[in-house]
Amino acid sequence: MLDKIRNIIGESKLAYVRSFGCQLNISDGEKIKGLLQQTGYNFTDDETKADLIILNTCAVRENAEDRVFGIIGSMKKLKEIKPSLIIGISGCMTAQEHIAEKIKKSYPQVDFVVGTSAINSIPKMLFDCLNGQKFGVDISEYDDFSEVTQQVRESKFKASVPVMFGCNNFCTYCIVPYVRGRERSRNPDDIIFEVRSLVENGYKEIMLLGQNVNSYGNDFGEVNAFPKLLRELNKIEGDFIIRFMSSHPKDASKELIDTIFECDKIAKHLHLPLQSGSSDVLNRMNRRYTAEKYLETVNYIRSKDPEFSLTTDLIVGFPNESDEDFNATLDIIKYVKYDNIYSFIYSKRSGTKAAEMPDFVSDEVKGRRMRKLLEIQREISSENYRRFIGKKMRVLVDDVSKKQKGYVSGKSNEFIIVEFEGDNSLIGQFVDVEITDAMNWAVRGKII
């Protein structure tokens, strides 16, 4: 199939691939590019020059879908200018049957649609389009993880490696289980082989991905499979760091935490999404842990290292969140003292149970709560980051500074942004930095 497409398109055909949303989507976009590269396509960042356009979509929020529909609509003109242009839509949006049908009926400029687990069908869809088919669709759910598919990675030194796909948790605000299917874990040998190959090719940071990496291997019937996988990856020779996300608190075992502390290549940072400090709200979210249980995990971590770096996700204004509920969230923020938080005002997502819940809290109140939360977190971050002054931090340099000319920036082992004087020749390297100053979003220092 790939050779047939290459023979049809010839040389110098350009593809434009744009991924929206989370890191799993970005990883899927890299696989799509790998498939297209095998068919003979080169790539462009200018959609007006493309012979093939694929939008790899996100469905977490409805406004994300609306944005993509706007972009699809604007491509009608591109198709009119270049009738041979092929347009494909993939990703979480298209995994919803009603969305695929809407695209077919309302956007005739689109040539094919594929779902999140149907990436491997893109060459067939493309071949059919090149042979005159008007519209193709495949939103089936497959268990094939495309282990042999080459990827066109966005970075030469940082790589994302999915360890599992799908989700079984069904949080009431989340659409992911409906668009990515049930949990399916990759074979550990395939993951280890992929990571070892990346390290041998010079990659310095490996980010393990899954909707809930802590439940990796549950479908194998294996207990603590993720900590075991981490320990095997830690044995790989080379100078690199292992990170992972997302980590569901209900499955964050003591074995996982012990593994983080005992393995030298695993980053000393844990992103542990709280979502709310109210056990009542957590119950309505179907998070399947209480605030008290969450704090037990935090206390176990801090018993090993009081300064261990923790970050979290929070939803402000979940339906009928009371002042008491919100204050419980603030209490946990003050107690845990996160280095950083990723906070969102709740937005209704059609197709989820939370969208059907009555909500009597005004947008004004939700906005006020968000401002209060951010104000408190800024104070905590400013205080927290001062603990690094005078210390040495190991940093993987990933870019020039956006805020300070003549500086570069990167992430430390603790997932803290570190800026220091340097040039882009340092990008992709580990360096040791002595910290001299702290802000509420990053620290600064000088190379040792």
Side-chain angles (χ1 to χ4, degrees):
M1 180 69 69
L2 301 180
D3 288 337
K4 290 179 180 178
I5 296 172
R6 191 180 295 110
N7 290 335
I8 294 173
I9 68 171
E11 298 180 356
S12 303
K13 294 294 184 181
L14 297 176
Y16 171 86
V17 179
R18 181 177 178 183
S19 294
F20 301 79
C22 70
Q23 286 183 276
L24 274 169
N25 257 30
I26 293 171
S27 178
D28 286 347
E30 292 176 340
K31 291 179 181 177
I32 291 170
K33 282 188 172 182
L35 282 170
L36 296 179
Q37 187 177 67
Q38 291 177 74
T39 64
Y41 279 94
N42 293 312
F43 301 100
T44 177
D45 293 328
D46 185 350
E47 61 189 42
T48 65
K49 296 180 180 178
D51 302 287
L52 167 66
I53 293 174
I54 295 181
L55 301 181
N56 186 38
T57 63
C58 173
V60 171
R61 293 178 180 82
E62 285 191 46
N63 60 2
E65 286 189 0
D66 293 340
R67 181 185 176 199
V68 171
F69 278 127
I71 294 171
I72 296 173
S74 70
M75 288 184 174
K76 183 178 180 180
K77 291 183 179 179
L78 292 178
K79 192 87 163 188
E80 290 171 351
I81 295 169
K82 185 189 288 187
S84 63
L85 173 65
I86 296 174
I87 299 175
I89 313 296
S90 66
C92 292
M93 265 181 64
T94 59
Q96 304 166 90
E97 191 171 344
H98 71 282
I99 294 292
E101 189 63 27
K102 178 178 178 179
I103 292 172
K104 181 180 180 180
K105 288 183 176 180
S106 303
Y107 299 90
Q109 63 269 37
V110 174
D111 296 285
F112 66 85
V113 168
V114 295
T116 53
S117 63
I119 289 174
N120 271 2
S121 69
I122 287 179
K124 181 183 183 303
M125 293 285 150
L126 186 55
F127 180 77
D128 291 341
C129 288
L130 291 166
N131 282 281
Q133 179 174 287
K134 297 299 182 184
F135 185 82
V137 59
D138 186 352
I139 57 172
S140 303
E141 187 171 313
Y142 298 98
D143 291 331
D144 177 13
F145 299 136
S146 307
E147 298 297 351
V148 298
T149 298
Q150 68 184 52
Q151 292 177 239
V152 178
R153 295 189 180 272
E154 301 293 327
S155 170
K156 300 296 184 185
F157 58 92
K158 296 168 69 172
S160 296
V161 177
V163 300
M164 61 185 300
F165 303 88
C167 184
N168 291 351
N169 290 310
F170 290 92
C171 299
T172 57
Y173 54 82
C174 185
I175 196 71
V176 168
Y178 304 98
V179 296
R180 283 200 172 265
R182 304 295 78 75
E183 290 178 352
R184 294 146 4 249
S185 302
R186 291 178 64 192
N187 184 299
D189 291 338
D190 292 327
I191 298 169
I192 293 167
F193 176 81
E194 182 176 351
V195 172
R196 180 179 290 111
S197 298
L198 287 165
V199 172
E200 289 174 352
N201 282 282
Y203 281 82
K204 301 294 187 182
E205 177 182 293
I206 307 298
M207 175 68 80
L208 307 178
L209 298 178
Q211 298 298 335
N212 174 18
V213 291
N214 294 342
S215 61
Y216 169 80
N218 284 358
D219 47 334
F220 299 156
E222 186 173 350
V223 178
N224 282 320
F226 187 59
K228 292 175 184 176
L229 175 65
L230 289 174
R231 290 182 184 275
E232 289 303 310
L233 295 175
N234 192 71
K235 295 176 184 177
I236 295 174
E237 293 185 3
D239 187 18
F240 67 101
I241 190 168
I242 302 167
R243 303 189 189 276
F244 57 86
M245 65 183 306
S246 288
S247 191
H248 199 297
K250 74 179 177 63
D251 301 311
S253 65
K254 289 186 176 180
E255 174 62 26
L256 172 69
I257 295 163
D258 290 344
T259 298
I260 294 171
F261 279 95
E262 292 168 11
C263 293
D264 62 309
K265 293 186 173 88
I266 299 176
K268 301 305 179 273
H269 158 259
L270 182 62
H271 185 71
L272 198 64
L274 172 63
Q275 305 301 3
S276 173
S278 163
S279 293
D280 179 60
V281 172
L282 290 171
N283 182 56
R284 288 190 284 120
M285 288 179 169
N286 193 36
R287 291 291 286 173
R288 288 185 280 174
Y289 56 84
T290 63
E292 291 74 22
K293 181 65 177 176
Y294 182 94
L295 289 178
E296 284 181 17
T297 303
V298 170
N299 289 336
Y300 184 70
I301 293 169
R302 291 282 163 77
S303 71
K304 291 177 166 290
D305 180 0
E307 295 187 346
F308 187 86
S309 179
L310 288 168
T311 54
T312 197
D313 293 336
L314 292 167
I315 295 174
V316 175
F318 190 77
N320 289 326
E321 177 190 65
S322 66
D323 287 338
E324 183 180 2
D325 293 329
F326 177 66
N327 287 332
T329 298
L330 296 183
D331 288 342
I332 289 187
I333 291 173
K334 295 172 184 176
Y335 177 81
V336 176
K337 296 186 183 301
Y338 298 101
D339 281 323
N340 199 4
I341 61 172
Y342 302 87
S343 52
F344 309 88
I345 294 178
Y346 171 77
S347 60
K348 185 180 292 188
R349 183 64 181 88
S350 299
T352 64
K353 290 187 176 181
E356 303 170 5
M357 297 178 180
D359 186 9
F360 305 109
V361 183
S362 69
D363 290 342
E364 180 184 357
V365 169
K366 293 176 182 179
R368 186 167 66 246
R369 288 174 180 170
M370 174 62 87
R371 290 190 293 274
K372 179 66 173 176
L373 183 150
L374 294 176
E375 177 187 348
I376 290 173
Q377 181 57 39
R378 278 194 293 271
E379 294 174 358
I380 291 171
S381 294
S382 296
E383 178 185 345
N384 273 9
Y385 285 10
R386 283 196 288 270
R387 76 185 188 274
F388 297 114
I389 294 177
K391 295 183 178 179
K392 180 179 75 172
M393 301 183 85
R394 191 167 189 250
V395 180
L396 177 59
V397 184
D398 56 23
D399 206 351
V400 295
S401 172
K402 302 293 191 297
K403 296 179 178 290
Q404 184 74 35
K405 187 176 181 180
Y407 278 59
V408 292
S409 68
K411 292 285 198 327
S412 72
N413 191 313
E414 301 84 1
F415 208 60
I416 303 295
I417 296 173
V418 181
E419 292 198 335
F420 55 95
E421 193 172 352
D423 58 44
N424 57 12
S425 66
L426 295 171
I427 292 175
Q429 298 183 37
F430 284 114
V431 297
D432 290 328
V433 179
E434 181 182 349
I435 305 306
T436 58
D437 193 18
M439 291 77 74
N440 62 15
W441 56 274
V443 295
R444 283 193 178 137
K446 58 184 179 180
I447 294 181
I448 298 175

